[in-house]
Amino acid sequence: MKRRIAALLLALLATQLGSLISPAYACGCGAMVPYGQSRIGVDRETSAVRWDGRTEQIVMRFVVRGDADRAAWIMPVPGRAAVELGDGRLFDELAEQTRPRHRTRHYFWPRNHDWPFSSSQGDGVGAALPTSRAPGVGVVGREQLGDFDVARLTATDPDALRNWLESNGFTLPERLTTEVKPYVDRKWEYVAVRLAPREPGKKLQGALDPLRIRFDSDRLVYPMRLSRMAKNPQSLGLYVLAEHRMEPGSPIGGSAPEVTFAGTITPGAGPLAELAGGKPVFLTAIDQEFPEPGRIDADHELRATAEDTPYRRTVYHDELLTVGGGVPVWLLTVSAALVALAAALLFRRRRRAT
């Protein structure tokens, strides 16, 4: 009877915990889980990935909302990881490098928002610490980085990994034991992150400091499988810096990945130049949607495309063709045609009269 009661309490706890998970952007972490009755949601997650054929670096930044003062997530990595704070200016530089071109297209005949059909003016077009040990778990390191408590772990037993995380203040989804098993079997390691602001009473809101994770890898992989634990549709945005244009090997259960930028860049001084290694690098920006996170069945493995074809998204702004002080060309054309027609009729009438 005691076992049944305990199982029931655990099930109720899991249900309650699951109900606290707010919509989150895909980050390979599955779901960012707050503590207690608080709530947290990830409005935007952006990752920059640098791979030189031997070493991979992932810089991740979250923009969050809610009333939580603590939350946690875990990210598996294929090798021994080093973690440090990143520079938020990196993402401003990437946004500048990949901004779309803006082009104006003129049309001749008026549309429904132009006079005489409407008096409104056009519509805009947008772009869019102390550490306890447990059997089966090895602690590579634990650091306080800004508002992040970061533990770097190895594990040979998924249950032991979950027990260590819970006993050390990392509250994570109940399904973690099951979902992390494929990584345990492949002897991956883990970066567990607890968001714990150092200022008493400070809430986790707005843009958090980026985290920079570095590990050795002979292939470019972006951990995604744990995102299958998320309860709401997910969106993934990646900036990939490599020797060539890169593409995911498969959709891994999401919509077809969309390339929004591809091209060689030569960044100047700054965090982007540092991440690129101070030399020209091919940058590929990729967006992808996951309407049903439960269908995610693998991590993203990215490969070089057959050709390094450049691409930049173009945003078109449609405008009515005008001349002078904004006089519509169609109006001048129609007016001229009517005058010519009237003159022809008048000429014919006078000719008949004579």
Side-chain angles (χ1 to χ4, degrees):
M1 178 63 71
K2 291 182 179 179
R3 290 182 178 178
R4 290 181 180 178
I5 293 175
L8 178 60
L9 290 176
L10 285 174
L12 290 173
L13 179 61
T15 302
Q16 182 183 25
L17 184 62
S19 67
L20 295 176
I21 302 172
S22 298
Y25 272 59
C27 58
C29 58
M32 189 178 290
V33 181
Y35 286 47
Q37 299 298 318
S38 58
R39 298 183 64 84
I40 190 170
V42 182
D43 286 333
R44 184 178 297 277
E45 181 273 330
T46 309
S47 290
V49 181
R50 171 70 171 115
W51 185 63
D52 61 7
R54 300 179 305 276
T55 303
E56 181 171 342
Q57 300 180 63
I58 300 176
V59 185
M60 312 177 73
R61 183 177 68 175
F62 300 97
V63 178
V64 301
R65 55 181 165 76
D67 59 0
D69 59 0
R70 291 182 298 163
W73 57 272
I74 185 172
M75 183 174 186
V77 291
R80 182 61 48 88
V83 185
E84 60 185 352
L85 286 178
D87 191 330
R89 294 176 301 163
L90 169 68
F91 298 100
D92 296 330
E93 294 182 18
L94 286 167
E96 177 66 20
Q97 289 282 352
T98 60
R99 71 185 188 279
R101 287 186 296 247
H102 289 262
R103 296 287 185 267
T104 299
R105 294 186 301 194
H106 291 96
Y107 55 92
F108 182 79
W109 292 110
R111 298 179 180 177
N112 57 5
H113 58 272
D114 298 315
W115 183 87
F117 304 112
S118 171
S119 60
S120 62
Q121 299 298 319
D123 40 24
V125 179
L129 313 150
T131 299
S132 63
R133 297 187 178 276
V137 176
V139 181
V140 177
R142 191 169 182 183
E143 302 89 16
Q144 184 75 36
L145 302 174
D147 291 334
F148 300 102
D149 174 12
V150 180
R152 292 172 289 133
L153 310 169
T154 63
T156 57
D157 180 353
D159 289 311
L161 176 62
R162 187 174 187 279
N163 290 338
W164 187 96
L165 291 167
E166 289 188 346
S167 63
N168 283 271
F170 294 82
T171 300
L172 292 162
E174 294 286 333
R175 290 173 53 193
L176 178 66
T177 300
T178 301
E179 298 297 345
V180 83
K181 188 177 186 304
Y183 298 111
V184 173
D185 293 342
R186 285 182 284 169
K187 296 181 172 54
W188 280 36
E189 300 189 6
Y190 311 90
V191 176
V193 182
R194 187 170 64 94
L195 288 80
R198 292 166 295 178
E199 299 177 22
K202 180 181 177 181
K203 302 300 181 183
L204 296 170
Q205 296 178 340
L208 304 179
D209 290 333
L211 275 181
R212 183 170 177 170
I213 303 171
R214 181 189 294 107
F215 50 89
D216 292 336
S217 181
D218 59 2
R219 57 197 174 95
L220 202 169
V221 57
Y222 187 78
M224 279 292 301
R225 193 177 186 280
L226 290 188
S227 285
R228 61 187 283 113
M229 290 190 292
K231 304 296 183 182
N232 297 277
Q234 305 282 283
S235 295
L236 173 65
L238 281 179
Y239 294 106
V240 183
L241 295 93
E243 296 302 314
H244 301 281
R245 175 171 171 165
M246 305 299 288
E247 64 179 0
S250 77
I252 67 169
S255 61
E258 177 189 3
V259 173
T260 58
F261 176 88
T264 299
I265 63 170
T266 306
L272 181 55
E274 179 187 354
L275 186 62
K279 59 183 181 181
V281 66
F282 202 98
L283 171 61
T284 312
I286 301 170
D287 287 337
Q288 187 179 15
E289 302 295 325
F290 294 89
E292 301 177 50
R295 298 181 60 186
I296 298 174
D297 57 6
D299 298 313
H300 261 319
E301 292 195 27
L302 293 100
R303 63 194 181 194
T305 58
E307 301 287 342
D308 289 338
T309 307
Y311 171 77
R312 185 184 291 272
R313 186 171 48 186
T314 301
V315 176
Y316 290 100
H317 301 267
D318 292 339
E319 294 183 2
L320 183 66
L321 187 62
T322 60
V323 294
V327 180
V329 173
W330 72 266
L331 184 59
L332 294 177
T333 304
V334 171
S335 299
L338 291 175
V339 169
L341 178 60
L345 292 175
L346 181 61
F347 175 76
R348 179 180 294 183
R349 183 174 298 175
R350 287 181 176 178
R351 190 173 181 181
R352 287 179 179 178
T354 59

